[in-house]
């Protein structure tokens, strides 16, 4: 930078830098000179960017590294499960086990069902009279969560799923989520109990969730699997209904 930039008060320079995209700050601006490197590596710039973009909760972060990671994790936060509500039929779901008559996608509320709590969800997956399972494996590096971040910061991995029965049939539901290494060794695992919904239930949608934290270094993949069946062994699709599955990486 020229003399005029060097003469700017640090607070003013921070405000100028805060208007630059975060990736450019890290990959380009911090290489300009020692002053800019110190500012990009410091906390004040990232505090300001968090404030400008409304990322609440950063007040608890103490170190400059945490502020920068807090910003990036909030900026990147999204549901890593693809096709969570069946809008693309079974696209993106692998290791699909079609027990009975197999998986089917239906429109909400469905026969003997209820509307979903969110108006943004319009469809769900439904299981049959033998166990139906399906899974997704999320590549964290491909989604932009670099190795040092996962190994050192170990951000929370938050898993959620929604399930429901239909009023005229009982059903079973299970959820199993694993954090995997580069070689797909299991580093952490959450497995729900086998949840039983009785016949003549209220058909309400229920959320199940789990948060992974302090899971240790080496996590590179998340494997999400859920499924179920009906308990009456009726031909067709009387088993558990699932939708709006999500996996997010959070500060």
């Amino acid at each position: 930078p020229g003399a005029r930039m060097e003469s700017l008060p640090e607070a003013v320079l921070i405000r100028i830098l805060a208007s630059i995209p975060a990736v450019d700050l890290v990959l380009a601006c911090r290489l300009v000179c020692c002053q800019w490197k110190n500012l990009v590596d410091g906390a004040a710039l990232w505090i300001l960017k968090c404030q400008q973009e409304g990322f609440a909760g950063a007040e608890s972060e103490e170190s400059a590294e945490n502020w920068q990671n807090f910003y990036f994790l909030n900026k990147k936060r999204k549901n890593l499960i693809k096709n969570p509500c069946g809008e693309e039929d079974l696209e993106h779901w692998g290791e699909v086990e079609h027990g009975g008559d197999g998986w089917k996608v239906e429109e909400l509320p469905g026969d003997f069902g209820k509307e979903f709590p969110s108006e943004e969800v319009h469809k769900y997956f439904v299981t049959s009279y033998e166990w139906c399972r399906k899974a997704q494996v999320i590549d964290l590096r491909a989604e932009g969560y670099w190795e040092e971040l996962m190994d050192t910061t170990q951000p929370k991995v938050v898993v959620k799923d929604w399930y429901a029965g239909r009023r005229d049939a009982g059903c079973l539901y299970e959820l199993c989520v694993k954090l995997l290494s580069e070689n797909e060794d299991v580093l952490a695992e959450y497995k729900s109990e086998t949840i039983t919904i009785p016949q003549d239930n209220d058909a309400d949608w229920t959320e199940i969730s789990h948060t992974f934290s302090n899971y240790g270094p080496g996590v590179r993949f998340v494997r999400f699997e859920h499924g179920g069946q009906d308990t009456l062994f009726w031909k067709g699709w009387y088993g558990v209904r699932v939708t709006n599955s999500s996996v997010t990486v959070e500060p």
Side-chain angles (χ1 to χ4, degrees), residues 70-82:
F70 182 89
Y71 176 87
F72 275 106
L73 287 168
N74 274 286
K75 192 73 172 175
K76 294 178 65 63
R77 191 186 318 205
K78 65 175 182 177
N79 185 4
L80 301 177
I81 292 285
K82 296 178 174 63

Side-chain angles (χ1 to χ4, degrees), residues 52-186:
Q52 288 176 339
E53 301 194 32
F55 297 152
E59 292 78 8
S60 63
E61 303 296 341
E62 297 178 355
S63 73
E65 181 183 5
N66 283 343
W67 277 101
Q68 186 178 132
N69 287 342
F70 182 89
Y71 176 87
F72 275 106
L73 287 168
N74 274 286
K75 192 73 172 175
K76 294 178 65 63
R77 191 186 318 205
K78 65 175 182 177
N79 185 4
L80 301 177
I81 292 285
K82 296 178 174 63
N83 186 28
C85 304
E87 295 291 345
E88 302 172 75
D89 197 44
L90 285 168
E91 187 74 20
H92 303 297
W93 291 94
E95 302 177 53
V96 179
E97 181 180 336
H98 284 291
D101 288 323
W103 286 96
K104 184 182 179 185
V105 175
E106 295 181 344
E107 297 274 350
L108 280 157
D111 294 338
F112 296 93
K114 285 188 178 179
E115 291 287 357
F116 192 76
S118 169
E119 294 181 356
E120 297 178 357
V121 178
H122 305 289
K123 296 183 179 182
Y124 59 84
F125 303 93
V126 59
T127 59
S128 190
Y129 59 86
E130 292 180 351
W131 269 99
C132 298
R133 293 183 175 87
K134 58 187 177 71
Q136 279 193 40
V137 177
I138 298 163
D139 184 336
L140 293 170
R141 284 178 297 194
E143 295 291 345
Y145 299 98
W146 57 98
E147 295 181 3
E148 183 182 358
L149 177 73
M150 296 305 301
D151 292 348
T152 305
T153 303
Q154 294 178 33
K156 292 180 290 187
V157 178
V158 181
V159 179
K160 297 180 181 180
D161 200 19
W162 288 81
Y163 64 90
R166 49 184 286 163
R167 289 192 300 273
D168 61 342
C171 59
L172 305 175
Y173 166 83
E174 287 183 358
L175 171 67
C176 181
V177 185
K178 300 176 181 179
L179 304 186
L180 305 177
S181 71
E182 177 74 30
N183 299 320
E184 300 191 4
D185 297 321
V186 178

Side-chain angles (χ1 to χ4, degrees), residues 5-6 16 28 53 65 82 117 119 123 191 208 226:
M5 286 290 283
E6 291 176 354
I16 294 172
E53 301 194 32
E65 181 183 5
K82 296 178 174 63
E119 294 181 356
K123 296 183 179 182
K191 186 172 185 178
I208 183 172
H226 62 181

Side-chain angles (χ1 to χ4, degrees), residues 197-248:
I197 301 175
Q199 191 175 10
D200 301 319
N201 65 86
D202 57 16
D204 282 337
W205 285 95
T206 300
E207 183 184 48
I208 183 172
S209 65
H210 178 75
T211 299
F212 292 96
S213 59
N214 301 318
Y215 38 76
V219 172
R220 300 293 178 262
F221 301 95
V222 180
R223 186 182 187 278
F224 179 104
E225 178 186 292
H226 62 181
Q229 67 172 92
D230 77 45
T231 54
L232 301 174
F233 303 99
W234 288 349
K235 183 171 176 59
W237 297 273
Y238 293 85
V240 73
R241 300 166 170 185
V242 294
T243 194
N244 205 37
S245 311
S246 66
V247 173
T248 55

